[in-house]
Amino acid sequence: MIKIRNLHKSFGDLEVLKGIDLEIKKGEIVTIVGPSGSGKSTVLRCMNLLEVPTTGQIIFEGTDLVKASPKKMRELRGGKIGMIFQDPMTSLNPTMKIGKQLKHLYVSHYGTQENWKEKIESLLEDVGLDKNRNFLDKYPYELSGGEQQRIVIMGALIGEPSFLIADEVTTALD
């Protein structure tokens, strides 16, 4: 499903990733383990091209993501490739209600508002949130850290990705 070949990433003179090779097949669950600051999140951010590698290849379903056009990346990111970040507060807009944010994600994936609420209510149940608690009418700051993280997980799942990247997905879960 995804192949990483000779991945390098530098921030200025500091090389943080050196020759990373990784292959993940369809249906596999892979965990990257290491101490804080070892580059785990940087690898994941490179896989979604939020960090552009200094050198190397990231092949997803035959497409080299490093060389992919911005248009191609918009098609893949959030659609075929979903990402759950470790800090929900940086993933949610604090000035916008949860329902509006999720509706925007739904429309960006499906091109229509039709059935958006049914999809969102189904995802609420999938992530263990009670749809009767009116989460869609709340702002992120009105939710606990665990509830915020579950909303971020919902956002990553809206586009029904075939490849899901989770960076410390259990952060803040209660």
Side-chain angles (χ1 to χ4, degrees), residues 18-112:
K18 302 173 186 175
I20 304 293
D21 290 313
L22 176 66
E23 186 171 333
I24 303 172
K25 295 181 175 104
K26 187 174 180 143
E28 280 188 319
I29 298 172
V30 174
T31 303
I32 300 173
V33 179
S36 182
S38 64
K40 301 178 302 290
S41 292
T42 303
V43 170
L44 299 178
R45 292 175 63 82
C46 284
M47 289 168 67
N48 201 18
L49 250 15
L50 297 171
E51 294 286 349
V52 178
T54 307
T55 61
Q57 290 183 310
I58 302 171
I59 309 296
F60 176 76
E61 295 183 345
T63 299
D64 185 349
L65 300 182
V66 176
K67 296 178 180 175
S69 69
K71 180 181 180 200
K72 181 66 173 176
M73 285 309 300
R74 277 191 304 277
E75 290 172 16
L76 294 174
R77 195 181 288 124
K80 289 188 172 231
I81 302 173
M83 183 150 182
I84 304 167
F85 297 96
Q86 63 179 285
D87 181 7
M89 279 309 289
T90 60
S91 300
L92 297 171
N93 183 335
T95 66
M96 192 182 298
K97 290 184 179 181
I98 297 298
K100 186 172 183 180
Q101 293 182 59
L102 293 173
K103 182 179 180 181
H104 175 75
L105 285 171
Y106 180 89
V107 171
S108 71
H109 289 296
Y110 299 104
T112 179

Side-chain angles (χ1 to χ4, degrees), residues 7-25:
L7 186 70
H8 290 258
K9 175 63 182 170
S10 297
F11 294 104
D13 292 335
L14 179 63
E15 187 174 37
V16 294
L17 300 179
K18 302 173 186 175
I20 304 293
D21 290 313
L22 176 66
E23 186 171 333
I24 303 172
K25 295 181 175 104

